[in-house]
C-alpha cells in the first residue's frame, strides 16, 4: 500500500486567485495522478503527473488552468489557477503501485467564492 | 467517460443485514477496484480483483467478477453503522499502456442502527 498526504485539507478562496495543492507519498512511485470530484459527482481524472516531464492532461483540462509539477518520485503539486466558483470541488492525489492497486490521498476540499 | 455504473444508486439497510452493490462496465479490463468514501473525504481502497479472478474476500467484504457479463458485485456482510458511505467501482482498462482508472457514479449505502 501507499500512504498519501495532501495539503491543505481544505480552503476557501476568492475567485480569480490561485491555489497550489501538495501531495506527498511515503514511498517512491512511478505513476501519480490528480483527480477532481465535483459536489455529488464521481471522480474525473485531470492529469497524470510525470516525473521530470510535463504532465499528461485529459480532455477538458489544460496546463494553463491546472499546472502540475512532479520534481521527484514522492511529491507533486497541482495548482488551480484563476479560480471560479465552478472549480469548487474535492481534488485528490492518487498513486498506483506496481501491483496495480491505486490509492488516494485524503483530498483537498476547495470552495471558491 | 464513466465506464463503471453502480447499481443501486442508493441503498438503505438495517445494521446486521447484508448489502450488495453491483457494477457494470463496457470494455475489457485488467482489473476492477472497489473503494469506499465517507462523506466528502478521500477514497479508501477496499479490494482489487483481476480479470482472471472470479471472487475475492477481505474480512466482511466479498467481491465477485463476471467478465462475460462485464459485471462485478460487492457484498458487505453483517453491516455496521460505520459502513455508511459511498462505494465506487473503478475499472482499469486492458490494452496498451493506459493505466487510467474510470469510476462509476457510486452507491450511497446507509446502514441504520
Amino acid at each position: 500500500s501507499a500512504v498519501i498526504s495532501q495539503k491543505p485539507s481544505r480552503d476557501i478562496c476568492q475567485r480569480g486567485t490561485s491555489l497550489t495543492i501538495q501531495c506527498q507519498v511515503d514511498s517512491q512511485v512511478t505513476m501519480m495522478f490528480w483527480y477532481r470530484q465535483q459536489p455529488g459527482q464521481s471522480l474525473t481524472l485531470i492529469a497524470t503527473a510525470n516525473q521530470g516531464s510535463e504532465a499528461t492532461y485529459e480532455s477538458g483540462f489544460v496546463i494553463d488552468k491546472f499546472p502540475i509539477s512532479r520534481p521527484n518520485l514522492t511529491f507533486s503539486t497541482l495548482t488551480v489557477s484563476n479560480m471560479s466558483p465552478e472549480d469548487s470541488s474535492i481534488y485528490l492525489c492518487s498513486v498506483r503501485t506496481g501491483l496495480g492497486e491505486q490509492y488516494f490521498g485524503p483530498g483537498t476540499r476547495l470552495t471558491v467564492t | 467517460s464513466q465506464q463503471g455504473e453502480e447499481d443501486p444508486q442508493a441503498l438503505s439497510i438495517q445494521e446486521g443485514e447484508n448489502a450488495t452493490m453491483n457494477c457494470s462496465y463496457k470494455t475489457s479490463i485488467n482489473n476492477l477496484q472497489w473503494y469506499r468514501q465517507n462523506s466528502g473525504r478521500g477514497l479508501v481502497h477496499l479490494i482489487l480483483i483481476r480479470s482472471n479472478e472470479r471472487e475475492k474476500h477481505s474480512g466482511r467484504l466479498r467481491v465477485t467478477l463476471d467478465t462475460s457479463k462485464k459485471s462485478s458485485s460487492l457484498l458487505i456482510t453483517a453491516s455496521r453503522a460505520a459502513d455508511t458511505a459511498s462505494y465506487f467501482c473503478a475499472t482499469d482498462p486492458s490494452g496498451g499502456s493506459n493505466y487510467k482508472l474510470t469510476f462509476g457514479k457510486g452507491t450511497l449505502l446507509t446502514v441504520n442502527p
Side-chain angles (χ1 to χ4, degrees), chain A residues 15-46:
Chain A
R15 69 173 66 204
T17 62
S18 298
L19 175 71
T20 296
I21 302 167
Q22 298 179 6
C23 175
Q24 180 74 52
V25 190
D26 69 339
S27 58
Q28 293 187 339
V29 291
T30 302
M31 308 205 72
M32 185 179 284
F33 308 90
W34 286 97
Y35 285 79
R36 180 175 75 181
Q37 185 179 29
Q38 293 177 301
Q41 303 296 313
S42 187
L43 280 76
T44 301
L45 179 63
I46 297 172

Side-chain angles (χ1 to χ4, degrees), chain A residues 4 31-35 92-96 102-105:
Chain A
I4 305 169
M31 308 205 72
M32 185 179 284
F33 308 90
W34 286 97
Y35 285 79
L92 298 117
C93 173
S94 177
V95 302
R96 185 183 181 102
Q102 194 156 328
Y103 295 92
F104 286 79

Side-chain angles (χ1 to χ4, degrees), chain B residues 92-105:
Chain B
D92 181 4
S94 61
S97 59
N98 183 356
Y99 299 111
K100 303 170 187 175
L101 287 187
T102 303
F103 282 80
K105 295 181 180 180

